[in-house]
Amino acid sequence: AHEATATIDVSVDHGAPHPLCTVQALADDHSIVGEQKFTPVSGANDVTVRTDRQATSVQLVGCITDHQKESR
């Protein structure tokens, strides 16, 4: 009830400077109950998010590198 795990597929361009991705865990009412940032590798990334209460889904907010202003 206090963690959610998801597999996130990411394609990292060779030489991308310090990529960082963010996922959020959501409850039944769509409120955010947890958030986790992680440094991805190309391919499948298993990410565990600690939550305040039970999550029903995990969504990828986006990924960013040092040279970007916003997540994609």
Side-chain angles (χ1 to χ4, degrees):
H2 291 286
E3 70 178 27
T5 301
T7 300
I8 309 293
D9 286 322
V10 179
S11 177
V12 178
D13 290 339
H14 180 70
H18 305 103
L20 187 66
C21 296
T22 303
V23 294
Q24 292 177 335
L26 306 173
D28 278 353
D29 62 1
H30 304 283
S31 63
I32 299 168
V33 294
E35 183 173 282
Q36 180 67 43
K37 295 183 184 304
F38 68 98
T39 301
V41 296
S42 281
N45 294 262
D46 291 327
V47 182
T48 299
V49 183
R50 291 182 183 253
T51 62
D52 297 328
R53 57 188 167 104
Q54 186 172 3
T56 57
S57 64
V58 176
Q59 69 177 3
L60 175 65
V61 175
C63 298
I64 193 167
T65 67
D66 287 343
H67 298 140
Q68 295 174 314
K69 294 182 180 182
E70 296 181 8
S71 295
R72 293 185 188 187

